[in-house]
Amino acid sequence: MEINNLLKEGKRLNYRLLDNYRYKEAAFEQQLNLFWAENPVLHQLVQQHADLEAIRKWIYNYLADYERKTLYNHFYSNMLERNIARKCIQVLKNVFSKRSEDLTGYSILSDFMKMAHHQKRDVSLGFIEELRHLFLGMKGNTGLEGQIVSMEHFNHSDPRAAARSRSDILNSATSGIKKRLVNYRCGLDEEVILQRLSNRKRIMAFFGATDKQWNSWSWQCRHIIRDARTLSQVVDLSPSELKAVEKVTLNRLPFGVTPYYLTLMDFNSAGRWDRAVRAQVIPPLDYVDNILKSREQGLDLDFMGEKDTSPVELVTRRYPLIAIFKPHNTCAQICVYCQRNWEIQDVMAEEAKAHQSTINKALDWFEKNTALEEILITGGDPGIISNALTKKILGRLAKMNHIRRIRIGTRVPVVLPMRITDEYADILGSFVKPGKREVVLMTHFEHPYEVTPESMEAVQRLRARRVTVYNQTVFTVENARRFEMASLRIALRRIGVDPYYTFNAKGKEETRAYRAPIARLVQEQAEESRLTPGLDRTDEAVFNIPRLGKNYLRAGQDHEVIMIMPNGARIYEFYPWDQNIFDTGPYLHEDVPIMDFLLEMARRDEDPEDYKSIWYYF
């Protein structure tokens, strides 16, 4: 069929065809014409005037007219449209402002002029769609009101009948939620457990391991898979996966997978269930290439600027009451997008263990700084430190009366659950003193497919010793589908883990393939997480801003969109948490274009129409 026949005025974009260059070009022209048709007054203005400042002034008057309309009930069809309009108006004010132009070095008005006069322009379809939706939102024309049940449907003269009608509607919503949740397999599902027993037998046979050896964490660490040849013998690798792992090992980038974690992978690389598991440890080729390029250019990969907040070796302090302690800078398994993987030389690297004298100096510093109340032991992964050293470090911290909480940041419940032995759990539990001190384990499950009977047993062993367990998840394209995060939270609660943080994947160029837009995370919190019971959604969505610290994404006063770039990316201005303490400047973040995300969802057989409200989250 001809490209032009695939495009109909006002019809939905076919995202599955947007990888076709000709279709994409034709779609751009269609959506641009549609944008001008929806905003004829604006089109006429930029066609007839050449003075950018005069146009800017007129646009602000135009936005002010609509802002006044939000103060009247009759203009917008419902509260949802009114609230969206107010947000869109604020974003439009920002993107057309001179201040935003100065901060970003880009003028949206200049490209407006070029588009209106059919001049050469360098803007994308994603750019047009961002502006289209902002103006549609401002006018209350989002088309989202069809999702809302009118209160007129209820019999207000009979409260009991109205309550039953409401309950029926909630039952219908619940049915929709459950249909979504079953799309994501959990490691506790009976079928998955049986499949993994088969995986385990196959991998044990490859290594010639006994059950006793398999259940030994030290045996697991001695048999970490570090090269493509070995990995390809125990699981099927796609050509791109094989090439990426070969390139990683050839260039001595940190890489390693525990035999246990391999059992969580489906043998067939074309499988649909284990994508998130594979993505944790098998890097995309562009990631490898970008890391190598950064090395060649001598770039500083300390993205978070931790060196600037390290008062003594092994210590990082960014906040008033808590500090980070890093005594062991390696892991049993390397997460591709870890913010500290630039520091790690290799899995289980012997040289990564800090010298005892350096550890003692860091502990001396903690002892002197009595303003601190909490220590987060992280790394690397402190879960692989020996029992003797763990006991020694915790014993020293426990003698400090000002320390009321000790956190241990470790991924061993996910990648090496046999590490949580009775002896290890006893050590952690022995330092719990109700009313005085708690010991908390912070772990990182990324997907319900990682939640297994083995991880549940490890968590329950800790809880039996009064050690609480929390989870920090990184929000990526691998867990960003509708209700995928809700499925993870439910699985975590089943095994005794409390959801704590959901981190927006950071904006390192090397990890671009993993990133999802901030709007998708905020949408997930509002439209999916919010529909589950309160104890299933105890996590907070945050952006850990480079050099500044955590910004709460649901707190609108802490950040705002100030520009739409030609590629469709939003520029966010984040305000530092410590602005009342230090004269710290804001941080500008260029996000993943929403159009790129929707295109990726289409590639994964998702319907982009299911995410259509994403444009109205900021």
Side-chain angles (χ1 to χ4, degrees):
M1 186 181 292
E2 287 293 324
I3 291 293
N4 288 335
N5 291 337
L6 294 171
L7 288 160
K8 301 294 183 183
E9 184 72 23
K11 298 291 183 181
R12 298 175 190 167
L13 287 170
N14 189 329
Y15 283 85
R16 288 180 175 83
L17 291 176
L18 284 175
D19 285 323
N20 181 310
Y21 176 78
R22 286 182 60 223
Y23 179 86
K24 197 169 188 176
E25 285 295 296
F28 178 91
E29 294 300 330
Q30 173 196 269
Q31 298 307 101
L32 177 58
N33 291 335
L34 184 58
F35 173 67
W36 290 132
E38 291 165 348
N39 299 280
V41 178
L42 183 63
H43 191 202
Q44 184 179 21
L45 174 78
V46 292
Q47 279 188 320
Q48 295 178 355
H49 294 79
D51 186 341
L52 288 183
E53 293 309 314
I55 293 174
R56 194 193 313 275
K57 184 177 180 180
W58 185 92
I59 287 176
Y60 271 106
N61 289 333
Y62 184 57
L63 298 177
D65 286 341
Y66 274 93
E67 192 165 35
R68 282 189 287 270
K69 290 173 182 176
T70 65
L71 302 177
Y72 296 90
N73 281 328
H74 66 274
F75 187 80
Y76 295 94
S77 60
N78 56 57
M79 184 171 62
L80 173 67
E81 292 287 8
R82 177 182 176 273
N83 287 342
I84 289 174
R86 290 171 68 84
K87 293 176 186 176
C88 288
I89 290 167
Q90 183 56 52
V91 173
L92 285 166
K93 283 181 177 179
N94 286 344
V95 301
F96 285 114
S97 76
K98 188 68 172 66
R99 175 181 182 271
S100 293
E101 290 180 0
D102 293 341
L103 284 173
T104 62
Y106 172 66
S107 171
I108 206 167
L109 281 178
S110 296
D111 271 332
F112 253 50
M113 296 285 288
K114 292 176 184 176
M115 290 188 298
H117 290 90
H118 306 286
Q119 296 175 359
K120 184 174 173 27
R121 45 48 186 180
D122 189 26
V123 297
S124 67
L125 178 59
F127 173 87
I128 297 298
E129 285 299 276
E130 274 283 7
L131 289 176
R132 271 198 68 232
H133 285 92
L134 284 170
F135 278 96
L136 287 172
M138 179 185 77
K139 297 174 182 178
N141 295 332
T142 66
L144 300 177
E145 70 277 3
Q147 304 173 6
I148 300 172
V149 177
S150 171
M151 292 298 290
E152 294 175 1
H153 292 184
F154 297 110
N155 182 357
H156 295 287
S157 63
D158 185 347
R160 189 73 70 187
R164 292 192 187 104
S165 296
R166 179 183 177 86
S167 183
D168 289 342
I169 292 168
L170 293 174
N171 282 340
S172 178
T174 300
S175 177
I177 293 168
K178 289 185 175 180
K179 285 180 181 177
R180 286 283 189 174
L181 291 175
V182 297
N183 287 331
Y184 311 113
R185 280 188 175 178
C186 175
L188 299 177
D189 297 347
E190 204 62 44
E191 182 183 348
V192 177
I193 291 173
L194 291 174
Q195 175 189 312
R196 285 171 175 174
L197 283 173
S198 176
N199 289 349
R200 173 176 161 175
K201 287 179 183 177
R202 187 185 72 251
I203 296 170
M204 284 176 64
F206 175 82
F207 285 109
T210 64
D211 285 339
K212 183 177 181 181
Q213 288 173 323
W214 180 267
N215 291 314
S216 163
W217 74 278
S218 58
W219 180 92
Q220 290 275 336
C221 289
R222 288 196 303 273
H223 291 83
I224 290 169
I225 291 85
R226 302 165 180 264
D227 64 278
R229 182 174 175 275
T230 306
L231 187 62
S232 63
Q233 289 179 281
V234 286
V235 294
D236 178 41
L237 296 179
S238 70
S240 63
E241 287 176 333
L242 181 62
K243 188 174 180 180
V245 178
E246 287 176 340
K247 204 165 190 176
V248 160
T249 52
L250 178 66
N251 290 279
R252 297 176 181 266
L253 296 179
F255 172 80
V257 191
T258 63
Y260 163 80
Y261 199 75
L262 275 177
T263 67
L264 310 191
M265 295 183 190
D266 303 335
F267 180 78
N268 189 343
S269 65
R272 58 175 289 207
W273 303 109
D274 69 340
R275 290 188 65 155
V277 171
R278 287 175 178 253
Q280 283 285 298
V281 290
I282 302 177
L285 266 173
D286 68 335
Y287 167 87
V288 181
D289 291 338
N290 280 322
I291 287 289
L292 293 176
K293 184 179 178 181
S294 297
R295 277 188 174 184
E296 289 169 5
Q297 295 175 345
L299 299 180
D300 184 359
L301 296 177
D302 179 15
F303 186 68
M304 290 301 295
E306 290 197 353
K307 293 193 292 288
D308 300 336
T309 53
S310 179
V312 295
E313 195 172 348
L314 308 184
V315 175
T316 299
R317 186 182 186 186
R318 199 180 298 276
Y319 305 108
L321 297 175
I322 182 172
I324 289 174
F325 180 37
K326 300 183 289 185
H328 198 54
N329 207 19
T330 190
C331 305
Q333 182 168 295
I334 306 298
C335 300
V336 175
Y337 49 76
C338 173
Q339 75 175 37
R340 293 197 189 101
N341 58 13
W342 61 275
E343 291 183 299
I344 296 172
Q345 298 300 314
D346 197 7
V347 289
M348 302 300 293
E350 187 62 32
E351 64 273 17
K353 189 186 303 180
H355 193 276
Q356 187 61 53
S357 62
T358 310
I359 290 174
N360 290 339
K361 287 177 183 177
L363 290 170
D364 290 343
W365 187 87
F366 289 135
E367 192 169 47
K368 293 173 185 174
N369 281 270
T370 56
L372 293 169
E373 295 186 0
E374 184 168 342
I375 304 299
L376 167 59
I377 306 173
T378 182
D381 191 333
I384 56 174
I385 293 175
S386 69
N387 287 351
L389 183 55
T390 298
K391 190 172 184 178
K392 194 171 185 179
I393 290 172
L394 295 183
R396 180 79 187 276
L397 290 171
K399 291 178 181 178
M400 303 177 193
N401 290 328
H402 55 286
I403 302 300
R404 61 180 174 84
R405 182 182 298 119
I406 301 170
R407 272 199 251 174
I408 301 170
T410 175
R411 203 161 186 246
V412 296
V414 188
V415 305
L416 195 65
M418 52 282 295
R419 169 62 181 114
I420 311 295
T421 60
D422 284 326
E423 183 183 358
Y424 184 73
D426 285 340
I427 290 171
L428 301 193
S430 69
F431 294 102
V432 176
K433 301 295 178 189
K436 182 180 180 183
R437 182 191 321 108
E438 62 177 321
V439 176
V440 175
L441 191 137
M442 311 296 302
T443 192
H444 172 198
F445 287 89
E446 188 71 2
H447 198 273
Y449 215 45
E450 293 179 320
V451 179
T452 66
E454 292 91 339
S455 60
M456 178 172 66
E457 186 179 336
V459 169
Q460 289 301 316
R461 196 169 280 134
L462 292 164
R463 286 171 60 95
R465 275 79 168 179
R466 301 175 299 185
V467 176
T468 48
V469 184
Y470 292 90
N471 192 67
Q472 299 184 155
T473 300
V474 180
F475 191 73
T476 73
V477 294
E478 304 299 342
N479 56 17
R481 292 173 293 177
R482 281 290 195 182
F483 286 95
E484 198 160 12
M485 278 296 301
S487 178
L488 171 61
R489 296 185 189 102
I490 291 168
L492 290 173
R493 291 293 306 179
R494 286 172 66 188
I495 67 169
V497 177
D498 293 320
Y500 174 58
Y501 273 150
T502 296
F503 284 105
N504 179 71
K506 294 183 181 67
K508 293 191 290 186
E509 188 58 36
E510 302 86 45
T511 56
R512 182 177 177 80
Y514 287 86
R515 291 164 55 201
I518 287 171
R520 174 62 192 126
L521 178 49
V522 180
Q523 179 190 44
E524 191 281 329
Q525 294 272 303
E527 296 184 6
E528 297 148 55
S529 173
R530 189 64 181 85
L531 297 182
T532 59
L535 289 179
D536 288 337
R537 51 182 168 87
T538 53
D539 55 312
E540 186 66 59
V542 296
F543 188 140
N544 202 5
I545 305 171
R547 303 183 185 278
L548 296 185
K550 296 176 184 67
N551 184 290
Y552 291 82
L553 291 175
R554 288 191 289 184
Q557 73 272 17
D558 291 342
H559 67 277
E560 56 184 330
V561 176
I562 64 167
M563 185 56 73
I564 309 297
M565 299 303 284
N567 66 348
R570 294 175 175 180
I571 300 293
Y572 283 83
E573 183 176 16
F574 283 95
Y575 305 114
W577 70 271
D578 59 0
Q579 57 188 310
N580 295 326
I581 302 175
F582 299 108
D583 184 15
T584 309
Y587 177 79
L588 298 186
H589 166 69
E590 181 171 327
D591 204 19
V592 178
I594 288 176
M595 178 64 75
D596 290 2
F597 170 76
L598 295 177
L599 181 57
E600 181 58 30
M601 288 295 101
R603 294 188 188 113
R604 294 172 183 237
D605 295 322
E606 288 284 294
D607 184 357
E609 190 68 12
D610 290 342
Y611 301 83
K612 64 182 180 181
S613 62
I614 190 173
W615 302 99
Y616 304 110
Y617 287 99
F618 306 101

